[in-house]
Amino acid sequence: MITKIQKFVSSTEFANALKITIAAVSPVLFFSYLDNFSVGFTIALGAFFTFPSDIPSNLKHKIKGLLTTSFIIAGVNLIINLCHPIPWLFYPVLVTLIFCISMILIYGQRATMVSFSALLSLSLAFAHLNTGWEMLHYSGLLLAGGLFYTVISIIFFHIKPNRYIELQLAECIRLTAKYLKLRGDLWELNSNRKSITKKQLHLQVELNILHENIREVLITNRTKSGSSGQNRKMLLSFISLVEIMELAISTSFDHNKFHQKFDGYPKALETYQNLAYNLAKAMKALSKSIEQHKPYESKRNLIEDLHHFELAITNYKKDIQNESSSEGVLMLITMLHYAEKQVEKIITLERAYSATVNTKDLIKGRDKDIEKFIKPQYYPLSTFVENLSFNSTVFRHSLRITLTILVGYMIGKVLPLENVYWIILTIVVIMKQGFGITNERTYHRIVGTLVGGVIAFGILYVVHNSYAISTMAIIAMLLGFSFNPTNYKIGSTFITIYVILIYGVLSPDNGNVIEYRILDTIVGACLCLLANYFLWPSWEFLSLPAYIESAIEANRNYLKEISIMYNKKVDVSTEYRLARKQAFIEIGNLMASFQRMLQEPKSKQNKLPQVYKLTVLNHSLLSSLASLGTYIQSHKTTEASKAFNVVVNKVISNLELAMNLLENPNPDSENMVSNEDLDQRLTELKNIRAKELQQIQLIDQEAYQIKMQEAQLVIEQLIWMTNLSENILKTTQLLTSVKKESQQ
């Protein structure tokens, strides 16, 4: 329990909650002491509105983002106050303002949070409308609140400048360890491999998001601040984590085949499974030490585990002396080589945190052209104009939220509701682009509001001391903002408690506040659900073809880079690494899209089987490509044969045909390539492997292992890739035919 509390208090979420609590409470206390509560409260609102845009980044981007948000929230409030008294001007301006603010989502995560902050300011502008010079005074105080929060955020940044990235790395190490643990679970004789694979796919989506966050901050910091020792250590850790994950994905084994092969000799697989578990345990222990800010001491001897596995292979060779044992030995040696590489990378990761090493030497060459791995931040107007179309999900979302807020405002005006702005606030907080996440947040917000209301009223019924109530309100605020990013239901509960307790201090006799808040929340939530279902809905199946096409294209580009490296025998190029990174990202995006589709109504999942199959096929193809790429990097390979290039070209052709089908469901029959040459080349490749198997006694052991590894890994991967690409093409044909039928 104590460990969990320590972890919670040291988390980024708690630190962020502490920032906004200090920034919001300090001015209220200070100006209350000066008998000017309203000024302090308005400054606190400015800090509160600015807070959402404070996302992790380097200091320069952080300051720019917070300053921009501060001026936007003050400007939005001023515009609403200026236009509100003139109905013929107010409504067109309100519609235009909401739409434009919502449209800036197209510019990425930071712009999304700035948009959210601006909409919060807009919704609460209706809570306190001003006239005359009071408008400028009020907007100025909001700006002051934003600037005050910016100062607090900068101070926190300088107190622990690397804490966020350390915690992100710790979480990345923990999730990678979990992924490796699942790989170990696959070696259980009667394991549910389908369920384990699904868990691995979900983990990969989480890891992709983490990788992007870490990459953005680390590489930008390196570019702006130079290569410090601490930055090098974290960059080395991140590169090692990416390589560990790539190795894990690239080395996929046929577990059914292994268990059939080693049923009579389970010791070898049990020893390997124990090694796999120890890899995961070592990484989990490292993650904990980083979280707790303690020196790391390795308690597991991974080298010894490797020796145990080598001994198990030797014993297998001694105990089973027959012709079929040679293939089993080769399979075990392939597993051993994977484990050796994984242990090497994990030990490098451990050394970064447990020993005084020269990280400059360890990272040398591995950070080449690393700045190319992040997207430059720029916001061209052309992007905004290009998205002014119903083909854009952001455009449809902007129209949807604009109309919903307008309807909510009208309902609040017509019905005898006390706080119209709370309906608008509920819409702003709940409504997202996807139906699934909006539906989930609606449920969590209603439950959080009801539970929080009951608890808060219970407190107000028992406690009557304003100082005690104020203290509990501050604690509820801190906990609410701490839980909000990770558990919206609990976060919403604490924020509801905070709001009601504040009302209890400010207006002790206003007992019906909870009734209005619940009613307003329900009205706003219902409007969100109806709008997301009926107003230009962004059902996932509408955007899935684009995700599928991007995933196929990324795999194709990755294969092209692998082919160049195999043919020319060159070192790993920046283009190869970029293609590999993009393939991992696009497959992750496809998986995330599929997961969102599962949250939508069953009636909107009409292509679910085909989408799931294409998701798995593209992931399997990525695994095969990574396996081939990793092997070529770490082994001296023979000259690329004509058969190799013919097969690779056929795989690329299949992938391009699938991409064309997604764009045009009625392709020209002339584009369909004959399989005669391909079948001949596949037969040729199979004959090469068969010939190698027959020549076991004609070559020495070392040459045998080298030839057999290349024969097994390269040739089998090519055959596997061919099958996968053909299945991708067939499933895409089925998907587009289903799409065509559904449109008729």
Side-chain angles (χ1 to χ4, degrees):
M1 183 67 180
I2 294 174
T3 304
K4 287 183 178 179
I5 293 172
Q6 287 176 338
K7 184 178 179 181
F8 174 73
V9 171
S10 65
S11 68
T12 305
E13 289 78 17
F14 184 82
N16 289 337
L18 194 58
K19 281 191 285 187
I20 183 56
T21 302
I22 291 171
V25 171
S26 300
V28 172
L29 293 177
F30 178 74
F31 283 96
S32 293
Y33 178 75
L34 298 178
D35 200 25
N36 204 340
F37 171 82
S38 61
V39 171
F41 187 74
T42 308
I43 292 173
L45 280 179
F48 173 73
F49 294 151
T50 307
F51 163 68
S53 64
D54 188 11
I55 64 173
S57 62
N58 66 74
L59 186 58
K60 184 179 178 182
H61 287 164
K62 180 186 285 288
I63 293 172
K64 280 185 177 179
L66 292 175
L67 289 178
T68 302
T69 307
S70 300
F71 281 97
I72 287 176
I73 62 172
V76 165
N77 182 274
L78 184 60
I79 291 170
I80 294 295
N81 278 271
L82 283 170
C83 298
H84 188 264
I86 314 168
W88 63 267
L89 178 64
F90 170 69
Y91 288 102
V93 169
L94 178 65
V95 168
T96 305
L97 197 59
I98 297 170
F99 178 77
C100 290
I101 290 171
S102 303
M103 277 295 292
I104 65 174
L105 268 66
I106 57 176
Y107 292 115
Q109 185 188 6
R110 186 180 298 281
T112 298
M113 300 317 296
V114 172
S115 170
F116 180 65
S117 293
L119 288 174
L120 283 179
S121 177
L122 183 144
S123 59
L124 287 176
F126 295 102
H128 193 77
L129 293 165
N130 300 288
T131 56
W133 286 105
E134 188 63 27
M135 291 186 294
L136 284 173
H137 180 249
Y138 192 87
S139 297
L141 290 176
L142 288 179
L143 176 60
L147 297 177
F148 179 60
Y149 177 82
T150 302
V151 172
I152 296 292
S153 183
I154 293 169
I155 291 171
F156 267 74
F157 182 88
H158 283 293
I159 291 172
K160 288 187 176 180
N162 297 314
R163 189 56 182 156
Y164 167 77
I165 202 68
E166 283 177 352
L167 290 174
Q168 289 289 93
L169 281 169
E171 179 67 4
C172 190
I173 294 170
R174 187 186 69 81
L175 291 181
T176 306
K178 193 174 179 181
Y179 191 93
L180 295 181
K181 166 70 168 56
L182 287 171
R183 281 180 61 90
D185 292 342
L186 286 168
W187 293 103
E188 287 291 335
L189 185 59
N190 297 313
S191 61
N192 186 342
R193 296 191 182 103
K194 188 174 180 180
S195 173
I196 293 170
T197 302
K198 186 175 285 188
K199 289 177 183 176
Q200 285 182 314
L201 292 177
H202 288 187
L203 267 179
Q204 202 172 329
V205 173
E206 290 184 64
L207 280 163
N208 273 354
I209 295 169
L210 269 175
H211 285 173
E212 279 300 285
N213 290 345
I214 296 169
R215 186 182 284 114
E216 173 76 24
V217 177
L218 270 183
I219 298 176
T220 309
N221 280 349
R222 178 185 173 88
T223 305
K224 303 291 181 185
S225 310
S227 180
S228 66
Q230 178 71 3
N231 193 263
R232 278 198 303 271
K233 182 173 85 169
M234 293 189 292
L235 192 57
L236 171 66
S237 303
F238 174 63
I239 292 172
S240 298
L241 283 168
V242 172
E243 290 173 346
I244 288 167
M245 194 63 192
E246 182 194 14
L247 258 179
I249 291 173
S250 68
T251 316
S252 53
F253 301 108
D254 187 338
H255 295 85
N256 290 323
K257 185 177 179 181
F258 269 92
H259 281 295
Q260 290 170 7
K261 190 78 178 173
F262 297 99
D263 262 353
Y265 200 90
K267 181 68 176 174
L269 296 188
E270 288 173 6
T271 308
Y272 177 78
Q273 186 184 42
N274 183 61
L275 170 59
Y277 282 150
N278 284 341
L279 293 175
K281 287 175 183 176
M283 293 191 69
K284 189 175 179 182
L286 176 59
S287 172
K288 284 184 177 178
S289 76
I290 296 171
E291 280 180 354
Q292 296 168 9
H293 226 288
K294 294 180 180 178
Y296 175 70
E297 292 181 12
S298 179
K299 296 180 180 178
R300 302 185 188 282
N301 193 335
L302 298 177
I303 301 297
E304 189 178 329
D305 292 329
L306 280 175
H307 290 325
H308 287 320
F309 187 44
E310 283 181 297
L311 184 61
I313 296 173
T314 303
N315 291 336
Y316 173 79
K317 286 160 68 176
K318 287 179 182 176
D319 295 347
I320 302 179
Q321 296 287 344
N322 55 51
E323 291 182 4
S324 64
S325 69
S326 59
E327 188 174 4
V329 170
L330 183 61
M331 292 163 77
L332 291 174
I333 288 172
T334 300
M335 293 166 67
L336 175 64
H337 285 179
Y338 159 74
E340 286 173 340
K341 292 173 197 167
Q342 205 66 289
V343 167
E344 178 188 337
K345 295 186 184 304
I346 290 174
I347 288 175
T348 300
L349 183 62
E350 287 181 328
R351 286 177 67 197
Y353 290 94
S354 61
T356 305
V357 294
N358 190 341
T359 52
K360 201 169 186 177
D361 292 337
L362 287 175
I363 204 171
K364 192 174 181 181
R366 298 168 78 183
D367 58 347
K368 181 183 177 184
D369 295 330
I370 199 162
E371 291 78 13
K372 294 182 179 179
F373 287 78
I374 59 171
K375 294 178 181 177
Q377 292 194 348
Y378 63 101
Y379 309 101
L381 183 62
S382 58
T383 304
F384 188 96
V385 175
E386 287 167 6
N387 278 270
L388 294 176
S389 160
F390 276 95
N391 293 326
S392 168
T393 55
V394 175
F395 177 78
R396 295 202 300 272
H397 170 71
S398 300
L399 286 179
R400 190 184 313 120
I401 195 169
T402 301
L403 189 55
T404 308
I405 289 175
L406 197 61
V407 171
Y409 181 76
M410 296 293 191
I411 289 174
K413 284 291 186 182
V414 172
L415 297 180
L417 298 177
E418 189 170 291
N419 299 316
V420 177
Y421 69 88
W422 203 267
I423 297 176
I424 302 174
L425 182 65
T426 301
I427 294 168
V428 169
V429 171
I430 289 178
M431 183 172 278
K432 303 298 175 187
Q433 289 189 56
F435 177 86
I437 189 170
T438 299
N439 190 33
E440 184 181 8
R441 286 176 75 88
T442 300
Y443 166 73
H444 287 168
R445 185 165 179 83
I446 291 174
V447 170
T449 300
L450 292 172
V451 173
V454 170
I455 295 171
F457 253 130
I459 292 171
L460 291 174
Y461 182 78
V462 175
V463 181
H464 302 287
N465 185 290
S466 60
Y467 291 105
I469 295 172
S470 299
T471 302
M472 284 187 278
I474 292 170
I475 294 171
M477 179 185 184
L478 180 61
L479 292 174
F481 284 112
S482 296
F483 282 107
N484 216 45
T486 54
N487 192 320
Y488 187 67
K489 190 191 297 181
I490 295 177
S492 183
T493 300
F494 279 113
I495 289 174
T496 300
I497 293 171
Y498 156 70
V499 170
I500 294 172
L501 291 183
I502 288 295
Y503 268 102
V505 174
L506 300 178
S507 307
D509 299 327
N510 193 3
N512 62 352
V513 63
I514 184 62
E515 299 172 16
Y516 282 112
R517 180 162 194 244
I518 291 173
L519 184 58
D520 293 338
T521 298
I522 291 172
V523 170
C526 291
L527 286 174
C528 286
L529 288 176
L530 291 170
N532 263 40
Y533 200 94
F534 294 108
L535 298 179
W536 313 287
S538 296
W539 301 120
E540 206 59 39
F541 74 83
L542 296 171
S543 53
L544 263 167
Y547 285 114
I548 295 169
E549 185 179 352
S550 295
I552 295 172
E553 183 180 14
N555 274 334
R556 180 204 63 181
N557 294 340
Y558 188 16
L559 176 56
K560 283 183 176 180
E561 292 300 327
I562 291 171
S563 179
I564 290 169
M565 187 166 64
Y566 191 69
N567 277 277
K568 296 185 177 179
K569 309 299 178 190
V570 294
D571 292 334
V572 178
S573 64
T574 301
E575 288 72 21
Y576 170 87
R577 291 157 64 204
L578 285 169
R580 179 184 64 189
K581 172 211 163 191
Q582 197 60 33
F584 276 79
I585 288 173
E586 295 300 346
I587 300 300
N589 290 341
L590 176 56
M591 291 176 193
S593 179
F594 174 72
Q595 288 175 11
R596 290 194 296 270
M597 189 177 187
L598 292 176
Q599 296 178 313
E600 296 179 345
K602 295 289 184 184
S603 61
K604 304 302 176 183
Q605 299 176 10
N606 54 319
K607 294 181 277 186
L608 192 65
Q610 293 81 18
V611 171
Y612 178 71
K613 189 172 181 181
L614 278 170
T615 303
V616 173
L617 285 170
N618 273 287
H619 180 264
S620 299
L621 181 58
L622 173 62
S623 176
S624 181
L625 291 169
S627 180
L628 183 58
T630 303
Y631 179 81
I632 293 169
Q633 288 177 57
S634 54
H635 293 78
K636 187 177 180 180
T637 55
T638 57
E639 185 179 349
S641 64
K642 184 180 178 184
F644 172 88
N645 289 316
V646 167
V647 175
V648 167
N649 289 337
K650 178 57 184 175
V651 173
I652 290 172
S653 174
N654 284 338
L655 296 179
E656 288 179 344
L657 281 172
M659 289 161 59
N660 291 337
L661 273 172
L662 289 165
E663 291 182 358
N664 175 23
N666 301 304
D668 297 333
S669 57
E670 297 175 6
N671 290 335
M672 305 305 289
V673 182
S674 170
N675 282 337
E676 291 181 11
D677 190 31
L678 174 70
D679 293 338
Q680 180 185 338
R681 297 302 176 182
L682 286 176
T683 303
E684 183 181 330
L685 288 171
K686 290 174 183 176
N687 289 338
I688 290 172
R689 184 166 187 269
K691 186 178 178 182
E692 296 290 351
L693 285 168
Q694 293 168 2
Q695 291 179 343
I696 292 172
Q697 305 300 326
L698 303 179
I699 54 179
D700 62 66
Q701 187 67 18
E702 185 179 354
Y704 162 73
Q705 287 187 8
I706 293 171
K707 287 196 172 198
M708 287 305 297
Q709 274 195 337
E710 186 165 2
Q712 185 182 48
L713 287 170
V714 176
I715 296 172
E716 285 194 357
Q717 290 300 339
L718 287 173
I719 294 170
W720 178 230
M721 275 190 262
T722 306
N723 292 334
L724 287 170
S725 67
E726 288 178 346
N727 280 327
I728 286 172
L729 180 57
K730 290 175 184 175
T731 310
T732 304
Q733 288 173 330
L734 184 59
L735 178 73
T736 51
S737 66
V738 170
K739 179 181 176 182
K740 189 176 178 182
E741 288 171 11
S742 65
Q743 290 175 343
Q744 288 176 348

